[in-house]
């Protein structure tokens, strides 16, 4: 049963719930946690696996005693769908930063593209993006990157269990990936482009599954509002206040994406 039928069921967030949410575009995982915490007045809450601001899809939140399950959920395999664009690279390996190089891709055949996907199936070495939450000397890597500095990030072993190409319409390649914890799909885009010799970056990413939890069973942020508990009896109602437009690009470093997107794609209210 979809969690989007949530208003028909009873939740006990203080005792503990595993809450599935469909993260909106440009929201950070912290944005979602804060929104849920404030809306539902939950004291103890955390998420089981970060999603990048430019990714959408399944984000799992645990509340109350269920926060003890976060590590267990994070360790489960993950499934993503999305799109790589061949022939262009960006410093962030996605649309957060502008294109910094263009290379010809028209000569690449479908056979070569499918062979490249096979090269990244199984146990591989992968280097996380500099634009990531990896810590470098106690500092988040993306903070280093947004200052314009560089730093060395160590590679690590990850497993790509399935790498299926679901559509090829050059320069775009659509895919489905099943992988282990810690895999960066943006890094896979970069490595995929390097394997083909034409560069690539990620233009779309949706997390569709974590273990047995699926995005089609997730709540939307709009449905979440219907779960807002009534104000405690005797508590005075607060005077209405003007809602402020949320500007995620200031926190998430999305100035370039924001400047090249339609307002409706990124503006929302927290």
């Amino acid at each position: 049963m979809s969690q989007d039928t949530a208003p028909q069921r009873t939740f006990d967030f203080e005792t503990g719930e595993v809450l599935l949410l469909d993260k909106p575009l440009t929201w950070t995982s912290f944005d979602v946690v804060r929104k849920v915490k404030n809306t539902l007045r939950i004291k103890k809450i955390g998420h089981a696996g970060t999603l990048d601001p430019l990714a959408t899809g399944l984000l799992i939140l645990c509340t109350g005693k269920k926060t003890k399950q976060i590590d267990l959920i994070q360790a489960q395999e993950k499934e993503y769908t999305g799109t790589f664009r061949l022939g262009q690279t960006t410093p962030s390996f996605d649309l957060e930063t502008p294109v910094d190089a263009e290379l010809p891709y028209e000569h690449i055949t479908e056979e070569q593209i499918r062979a490249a996907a096979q090269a990244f199936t199984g146990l591989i070495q992968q280097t996380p993006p500099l634009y990531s939450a990896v810590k470098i000397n106690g500092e988040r890597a993306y903070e280093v990157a947004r200052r314009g500095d560089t730093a060395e990030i160590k590679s690590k072993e990850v497993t790509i269990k399935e790498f299926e190409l679901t559509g090829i319409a050059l320069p775009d390649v659509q895919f489905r990936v099943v992988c282990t914890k810690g895999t960066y799909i943006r890094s896979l885009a970069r490595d995929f482009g390097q394997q083909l010799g034409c560069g690539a970056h990620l233009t779309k990413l949706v997390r569709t599954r974590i273990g047995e939890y699926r995005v089609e069973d997730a709540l939307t942020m709009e449905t979440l509002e219907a779960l807002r508990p009534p104000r405690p009896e005797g508590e005075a109602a607060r005077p209405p206040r003007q809602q402020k437009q949320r500007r995620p690009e200031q926190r998430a470093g999305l100035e370039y994406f924001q400047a090249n997107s339609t307002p409706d794609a990124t503006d929302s209210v927290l």
Side-chain angles (χ1 to χ4, degrees):
M1 181 183 69
S2 170
Q3 284 202 349
D4 232 358
T5 60
Q8 283 74 50
R9 59 165 287 194
T10 301
F11 287 87
D12 187 347
F13 294 112
E14 290 303 327
T15 298
E17 294 282 354
V18 176
L19 191 61
L20 313 186
L21 288 171
D22 190 351
K23 188 189 82 65
L25 184 68
T26 75
W27 288 46
T28 67
S29 299
F30 176 74
D31 286 339
V32 177
V33 171
R34 185 178 61 181
K35 173 68 172 179
V36 173
K37 183 175 183 178
N38 292 340
T39 298
L40 304 181
R41 301 172 192 161
I42 300 172
K43 295 178 181 178
K44 190 174 184 181
I45 186 171
H47 67 74
T50 302
L51 266 182
D52 288 337
L54 293 185
T56 62
L58 182 60
L59 183 68
I60 299 179
L61 275 58
C62 296
T63 76
K65 294 180 180 179
K66 291 292 180 72
T67 54
K68 296 178 181 179
Q69 296 184 18
I70 285 178
D71 289 344
L72 181 63
I73 295 172
Q74 283 182 323
Q76 298 182 56
E77 71 176 21
K78 299 170 178 69
E79 180 185 75
Y80 299 89
T81 62
T83 305
F84 297 148
R85 177 156 296 167
L86 305 185
Q88 296 178 335
T89 63
T90 74
S92 59
F93 311 156
D94 67 359
L95 295 174
E96 182 178 328
T97 54
V99 171
D100 60 359
E102 297 195 39
L103 294 166
Y105 62 84
E106 295 83 358
H107 62 286
I108 297 173
T109 66
E110 181 174 328
E111 182 179 18
Q112 290 173 315
I113 293 172
R114 295 194 180 281
Q118 288 297 314
F120 292 102
T121 302
L123 185 66
I124 65 171
Q125 286 285 330
Q126 185 183 80
T127 303
L130 185 57
Y131 285 79
S132 69
V134 172
K135 285 195 173 182
I136 303 173
N137 298 324
E139 185 178 24
R140 296 293 185 186
Y142 60 75
E143 295 173 344
V144 175
R146 289 169 190 155
R147 283 202 310 269
D149 296 337
T150 59
E152 182 179 353
I153 300 179
K154 295 181 180 179
S155 64
K156 60 180 181 179
E157 286 187 342
V158 298
T159 299
I160 307 294
K161 297 183 177 181
E162 298 180 46
F163 190 173
E164 177 188 5
L165 301 183
T166 57
I168 299 175
L170 294 181
D172 292 334
V173 176
Q174 295 177 324
F175 64 86
R176 182 183 70 89
V177 165
V178 178
C179 57
T180 55
K181 173 186 175 182
T183 303
Y184 280 88
I185 307 301
R186 286 184 289 135
S187 291
L188 183 60
R190 172 203 57 196
D191 297 342
F192 187 72
Q194 288 178 346
Q195 179 79 5
L196 290 168
C198 65
H201 66 286
L202 185 66
T203 59
K204 182 179 180 181
L205 186 66
V206 181
R207 185 157 66 194
T208 55
R209 180 172 62 85
I210 300 176
E212 297 301 316
Y213 300 106
R214 297 181 178 276
V215 69
E216 52 261 37
D217 298 324
L219 289 170
T220 63
M221 298 305 290
E222 291 77 14
T223 304
L224 176 76
E225 292 286 350
L227 300 178
R228 186 188 296 271
R231 191 172 300 279
E233 186 177 353
E235 182 178 324
R238 296 177 182 177
R241 62 180 181 179
Q242 184 179 3
Q243 290 184 319
K244 295 181 179 180
Q245 287 295 314
R246 173 178 171 273
R247 297 189 58 81
E249 73 279 5
Q250 294 180 342
R251 293 195 305 278
L254 300 178
E255 292 88 350
Y256 175 76
F257 178 79
Q258 178 78 6
N260 290 275
S261 303
T262 59
D264 291 344
T266 54
D267 289 345
S268 55
V269 177
L270 265 184

